[in-house]
Amino acid sequence: MKASTEKRKGFFYGWWIVAGAFLIMATCYTIFVNCIPLFQKWIVEDLSITMAQFNTGVSLCTVVAIFASLAFGALIDKVSSKLLGSFTVIITAIVLLLFSFTTKLWGFYVLCIVAGMIVVAGTRLLVSVLTTNWFTERRGLAVSIALAGSGFGGVILSPVTTKIIVAYDWRVAFLVLAVIALVASLPIVIFSFRNRPSDKGLLPYGLNPQEQARKLAKAAKPNAKIKKIIDFPVTVSIGLKVLIKNPGFWLLIVGFVAMGIVNGAIITNSITNMTSVVLDDTEIVLGGHSSEWAGNVWAVYLGVVIVAKIFLGFIYDQWGLKVGTIVGTATCIVASIALCFPATFWGPILAAVAFGFGTCMGTVSPPVMVAKEYGKKDLGMVVGIVTAFELFGAAIGAVVSGVLFDNFFSFTPAWIMTFVASIVMGITLMISIPAARKLAQRRREQGAPELDEEGFEIVPAEG
């Protein structure tokens, strides 16, 4: 059914999409990404495994998510998002339930693989593409609000999980998280998720790309009173087949691989970096802080994530991709330096605040940068590929940081790695922005088709 073009008053349905996405990120995603570090110390000791073995499980989750992201990217464009979302939530609850009964390393690995295949890949990619489909104006804000659910959920679940682990057991904590994920997410996903605005007889929120382009042209004229649009909206068809042959796109990929390395190393090891760990019956004191103190600092980090994701979306909408990239890069660099001082009071807290901003480059930036640089053509597949490569970087970061720790009994070498990766990320992402603009201009000069509001090619009328 053709979407209605009349201006609708009142509440826009797309905000229900944002609400559902927010909750699925606050539970399913945050449990497997932001809460798993809380279990590192306890699982390592209980299963008598090494730090590298635990981090290998986390990286297995990430590696599987790489390939699953490619599959989900294709499915999102073809399969009901309500079905995909419901399936993801149910599998999340089942995997968490089974984690509570794990007694062997191989069982831990199997569940990590399933989690990566369905949960990590399914939640973030589905949320990113779905929200992007529903918004043209305020896209950065909508995507960032949806993804900020991971921070919101973490602020609540991090201290709760820590208290349950300390008071009862890490297995009990997994059981509680399974119930929370199922009850909090499944109802609104079933109620609200729709793939595109046309499924509800609507258009994406705000002006269509062609109207934005006309506004930008007027804004470029002298004495123009209309507000300038920082990032020129891409209304010409580019698509995956063109992008895989474009060097600028691969620079974008390199940038997100580097971002993945930063996220994989810092998220996986931050809690242990603040406390201590027992290896071969020997306690290795790192930061020397208590688990409760570390959990509270982690809650501070997750609280910052809520504000930072929304702020980063606002930056993208108001000041463009370059400013957002500079902010994300700078905060990752600061976090890497502060993490080298875990025994101090200020080091972990400064790292938590800085990384709360920096980590958002790994979630908010992929869908926003892809849409702003290359338009909505093949959006699900392109975001899926970018996400897959970022997850590949996260797997590298998790594994290498664990190996470095087992060799040096310190995370400082890992933080040097994230420092370098942050710089690589900033440089490559900055270069990709003008490269994308040149590609769009070249495609227009080659006579490529224009796109409609939802990213489909406009077929010229005959005659």
Side-chain angles (χ1 to χ4, degrees), residues 174-256:
F174 272 125
L175 286 173
V176 174
L177 292 174
V179 175
I180 291 174
L182 190 66
V183 173
S185 298
L186 189 59
I188 194 166
V189 168
I190 294 174
F191 168 75
S192 67
F193 275 17
R194 301 291 188 280
N195 288 49
R196 297 179 181 275
S198 56
D199 295 337
K200 295 287 291 183
L202 299 170
L203 288 173
Y205 185 89
L207 301 172
N208 63 45
Q210 287 74 24
E211 289 172 326
Q212 282 189 317
R214 286 194 292 271
K215 279 200 167 190
L216 182 61
K218 291 180 181 179
K221 295 179 181 179
N223 301 320
K225 295 182 180 180
I226 194 164
K227 186 177 181 179
K228 184 179 179 181
I229 301 173
I230 300 297
D231 296 311
F232 196 100
V234 177
T235 64
V236 67
S237 176
I238 297 179
L240 182 59
K241 290 182 179 179
V242 175
L243 288 177
I244 59 176
K245 301 175 183 178
N246 180 255
F249 176 67
W250 290 105
L251 278 174
L252 182 79
I253 293 291
V254 170
F256 281 113

Side-chain angles (χ1 to χ4, degrees), residues 36-37 39-41 43-44 49-63 105 108-109 112 263-272 277 394-406 410-411 414-415 417:
I36 284 297
F39 292 88
Q40 185 185 51
K41 165 185 168 66
I43 292 178
V44 165
I49 60 178
T50 67
M51 195 73 70
Q53 286 175 322
F54 178 90
N55 287 7
T56 297
V58 175
S59 66
L60 277 174
C61 177
T62 307
V63 169
L105 180 62
F108 176 71
Y109 283 170
C112 284
N263 268 340
I266 294 181
I267 291 176
T268 306
N269 303 298
S270 286
I271 295 294
T272 304
V277 65
I396 294 174
V399 171
V400 173
S401 61
V403 171
L404 289 171
F405 178 85
D406 287 341
S410 168
F411 283 116
W415 308 145
M417 175 182 69

Side-chain angles (χ1 to χ4, degrees), residues 283-312:
E283 183 178 20
I284 300 173
V285 179
L286 300 164
H289 302 286
S290 68
S291 296
E292 290 83 354
W293 189 87
N296 290 333
V297 172
W298 196 244
V300 169
Y301 151 72
L302 294 169
V304 173
V305 167
I306 301 174
V307 178
K309 284 186 176 179
I310 297 175
F311 183 58
L312 182 58

